[in-house]
Amino acid sequence: MKILVICRDNIGDSILATPLIAHLSAIHGATTDVLTNSYASPVFSHNPHIRKVHEYSKSKHCKNLISVIMAAAVRIKTIFRLRKEKYDAVIIAKSSWDSHSVKWAAGIGAKRVIAFGDEAHPLIDRLVSRAEGTLHVAERLFRLAAAVTDVPPLRRFNPGKSSVYPAPDLVKKFRMTCGVTPDERIIALQISARKPRQQWSAGNFITLARLIAERYRCRMFLFWSPGDSSNPMHPGDDIKAEYITGLAAGYGLEAVPTRTLEELKAALSLCSAVVSSDGGAVHVAAALGLPVVALYGNSDPAHWHPWHVPHQTLRGSREHVNDISPEDVIRAIDPLINSSGEPGTGAWISASPASA
């Protein structure tokens, strides 16, 4: 059986589709390919459950008219290439089908098209009811596996862990440039979030860096989305990161620039635990198997918490992440440190820990 999984959403949604993809490959024995956009494509690189990743560019990610025209030409070539594969099924891995995904599926000409939705579409052969309830996004997407055959998935609402696979050469590069030694303990602070209500302030991160330095014997790495905050397509936090590291360098906070998602995967893989506002980086960290403290504003942790790893979720009282204090976060870090493999050794704790 040959299956194409269409993942047109952002990084987090794409990562949470990886348990579904692993299941299709391992349980159904399917040859599984992925169609995704250039922004999320690194999520699927080096994944042993995926034979091939087909990539296209969204128009909104193109910088000018020429790049829009070139992207359109690539899409046409991609459709012809996918038609030659003669897929048995196309799965639209999205909370509900959308017209763009259906157009892709129709152009590919698969025997069956499987999607979520409450409204039928003549080109969708198997429509799975959304029925979201309290299911996590990974659990919801996993339900699509039941429509591939008439046999439900073995772990119907308990999919396995999400996974990303960093490039070994990039891991080696960051290990050398950051001077990371074996068994070194590193807490990562990731400061970027796309939604304004998810953006924890620079002052909070500086205070948290001080509290970590006072309490734990470890290094701290700072991560952020690259670029200018005024970029309408990919707002970045270069200025915020420079401000934070300038004021928190005395606490041992080290800036680790990552210009691509591949670099973020590699650099984060060297860390021991992660603190991040809700967003793609939370799910990258969880897919690497790292304990995560995740900060939420107006997104729901029940649907978006770090999947299948030790985690603590904190949500702002007025659905704004800045209602969470640095003291709240340091208290949330403690149980994750204790779950990281060396309970009771005191190896993480400083000689004179600050009171929580």
Side-chain angles (χ1 to χ4, degrees):
M1 179 182 291
K2 291 177 69 175
I3 299 175
L4 178 71
V5 180
I6 298 179
C7 294
R8 298 186 64 255
D9 282 328
N10 293 322
I11 292 169
D13 306 73
S14 298
I15 289 174
L16 294 173
T18 59
L20 166 67
I21 292 168
H23 176 88
L24 294 172
S25 174
I27 304 300
H28 288 303
T31 298
T32 309
D33 295 347
V34 169
L35 172 66
T36 188
N37 59 73
S38 55
Y39 181 63
S41 178
V43 165
F44 305 106
S45 62
H46 314 291
N47 190 317
H49 302 291
I50 299 171
R51 182 189 64 159
K52 192 180 299 184
V53 178
H54 301 275
E55 179 184 316
Y56 72 96
S57 295
K58 289 185 176 181
S59 298
K60 68 178 183 178
H61 293 162
C62 297
K63 296 180 180 179
N64 50 48
L65 180 59
I66 294 176
S67 59
V68 170
I69 295 171
M70 292 178 63
V74 169
R75 283 184 221 171
I76 293 171
K77 289 181 180 178
T78 301
I79 287 175
F80 279 108
R81 185 166 63 249
L82 292 172
R83 286 187 70 89
K84 292 180 181 178
E85 294 284 355
K86 301 187 183 302
Y87 290 105
D88 296 293
V90 167
I91 296 177
I92 299 174
K94 189 178 177 70
S95 59
S96 184
W97 63 263
D98 65 299
S99 59
H100 292 292
S101 297
V102 173
K103 286 178 182 176
W104 273 106
I108 292 165
K111 295 177 183 177
R112 278 176 293 162
V113 176
I114 299 165
F116 280 122
D118 297 326
E119 184 179 344
H121 190 287
L123 295 175
I124 298 176
D125 303 282
R126 296 195 177 184
L127 190 68
V128 180
S129 173
R130 294 177 68 188
E132 295 182 4
T134 58
L135 291 180
H136 191 276
V137 173
E139 294 173 304
R140 268 186 267 154
L141 292 175
F142 195 70
R143 293 175 61 233
L144 291 166
V148 174
T149 66
D150 293 326
V151 179
L154 298 181
R155 303 177 300 277
R156 186 167 185 178
F157 296 119
N158 186 27
K161 69 181 295 293
S162 57
S163 299
V164 295
Y165 298 86
D169 58 329
L170 283 177
V171 175
K172 182 178 180 180
K173 169 194 166 185
F174 278 100
R175 188 179 295 280
M176 292 179 62
T177 56
C178 297
V180 177
T181 59
D183 301 322
E184 194 163 22
R185 297 169 181 84
I186 301 168
I187 294 179
L189 307 184
Q190 198 289 133
I191 67 174
S192 296
R194 182 170 51 88
K195 299 177 182 178
R197 284 179 172 268
Q198 307 285 80
Q199 295 167 5
W200 215 37
S201 72
N204 281 335
F205 277 109
I206 293 167
T207 301
L208 178 62
R210 175 178 61 80
L211 294 174
I212 290 173
E214 291 172 350
R215 183 162 183 78
Y216 299 114
R217 197 161 37 228
C218 67
R219 293 174 70 181
M220 283 181 283
F221 285 176
L222 188 77
F223 294 92
W224 68 95
S225 295
D228 193 318
S229 60
S230 64
N231 187 324
M233 291 185 298
H234 300 293
D237 281 314
D238 285 348
I239 294 175
K240 183 178 179 180
E242 184 178 3
Y243 176 77
I244 292 171
T245 50
L247 292 179
Y251 307 132
L253 185 63
E254 306 169 52
V256 180
T258 56
R259 294 295 158 183
T260 66
L261 180 53
E262 287 286 8
E263 289 189 348
L264 178 64
K265 287 161 51 180
L268 269 183
S269 73
L270 299 174
C271 298
S272 312
V274 178
V275 177
S276 175
S277 290
D278 178 42
V282 163
H283 303 290
V284 173
L288 290 166
L290 300 176
V292 183
V293 175
L295 314 180
Y296 295 82
N298 59 340
S299 57
D300 189 349
H303 299 308
W304 292 102
H305 65 75
W307 183 248
H308 253 277
V309 292
H311 65 272
Q312 294 285 313
T313 59
L314 301 173
R315 193 177 190 186
S317 58
R318 293 171 295 178
E319 294 195 348
H320 198 297
V321 75
N322 279 320
D323 290 335
I324 303 168
S325 73
E327 290 76 16
D328 293 330
V329 176
I330 202 73
R331 283 190 291 268
I333 292 174
D334 268 337
L336 296 186
I337 296 302
N338 290 332
S339 71
S340 64
E342 297 184 26
T345 64
W348 274 90
I349 308 300
S350 295
S352 301
S355 58

